[in-house]
Amino acid sequence: MAADTPIDMALWQGRTDPEPDSDRWHQRIEPLTNNAAQGCALLGFESDAGVARNQGRTGAAEGPNALRRALAPLAWHRTAPVYDAGNVRCVDDALEAAQQTLADRLTSLLTAGHLPIVLGGGHEVAYASWLGLAQSFMPKKAPPRIGIINLDAHFDLRDPVHIRSSGTPFAQIADKCQEWDWSFRYACLGVSRAANTRALFTRAAALGTLVREDREIEALRLDSIIRDVQRFIAKCDHIYLTIDLDVLPAAEAPGVSAPAARGVSLALIEPLIEAVRDSGKLRLADLAELNPSLDIDSRTARAAARLVHLLTLDN
């Protein structure tokens, strides 16, 4: 079972400055309405059922609203509108129903011309996000060339035959692409060799995944990796960007299901996100694994809010 949570604009609070042109997010965000002008739509996914199935630390269902609170006081640097589209809530263990509900909501937002950014929630959100984008292209005679760029310490390519969880979304997407005779185009950046088995590296290679490990993403090699990402994007018509916050070091993102012993710093992640944002092909993004109950001084929420702010800059 899944349920829609009403839009709660009371979450958007912050300081108001007296100077002209000093707006902050809480002053400019609007509740989504029918026939709203095209803009960016924030849609929450209150779920950690996939994390629980994956034997991880639960609490990510509270992530969407924590992220809104962290976004609220940030400075406003957009020209186009941003809307709050509310949340989809996963009730108990009804993950598949919640994923389908989220996918349907995303298809509607995409059809209306919005750029959706999904606020997770566990990384089981990824299957729902991709499905929502895929549905927006149906019916089409030619299969869409959708590229998935995942910033993550984990491949999340485990076999979904036994159980579907936060560790299986991209394997589920690969299976669906095979079923539909679509190409599976996947890039995973920030992978930890210590956190992924040899079987997962083998599966990633068999699927033609662009892989860059966490230890590879350093300042001296960043330009080369950005070019790799740009070449990947050039072979796609549409890009879905998914950010698992456990790609960041534990000191920067302690509030996740599985904190990274090494990770990739925010300073190195941001240029990768900018390359995707500025490609002109970004259709959908999500952020996963924010767990407020495990966060320290709201570090993870603040980092996530900064990434949403970066994703939505248009001037």
Side-chain angles (χ1 to χ4, degrees), residues 45-69:
F45 188 51
E46 295 177 307
S47 170
D48 52 20
V51 175
R53 294 182 187 184
N54 203 25
Q55 301 179 28
R57 304 187 299 174
T58 58
E62 305 303 318
N65 288 346
L67 184 40
R68 286 181 172 93
R69 294 187 186 97

Side-chain angles (χ1 to χ4, degrees), residues 186-263:
Y186 182 41
C188 193
L189 312 176
V191 173
S192 166
R193 186 162 287 266
N196 294 268
T197 64
R198 283 188 294 184
L200 290 173
F201 274 92
T202 300
R203 184 170 296 157
L207 289 168
T209 306
L210 170 63
V211 180
R212 292 295 176 265
E213 295 186 36
D214 51 9
R215 60 186 178 176
E216 296 180 79
I217 304 177
E218 54 185 23
L220 291 177
R221 302 179 68 176
L222 190 59
D223 286 346
S224 175
I225 292 173
I226 289 174
R227 287 194 293 271
D228 291 339
V229 171
Q230 290 170 334
R231 282 191 287 268
F232 175 87
I233 292 172
K235 297 176 182 178
C236 305
D237 297 320
H238 314 281
I239 296 296
Y240 157 44
L241 174 66
T242 178
I243 305 168
D244 188 323
L245 294 167
D246 73 16
V247 73
L248 298 169
E252 295 182 15
V256 294
S257 174
R262 186 191 191 283

Side-chain angles (χ1 to χ4, degrees), residues 173-194:
I173 293 169
D175 288 347
K176 187 62 71 173
C177 286
Q178 185 176 32
E179 176 187 336
W180 291 348
D181 197 26
W182 289 13
S183 59
F184 178 67
R185 304 166 187 266
Y186 182 41
C188 193
L189 312 176
V191 173
S192 166
R193 186 162 287 266

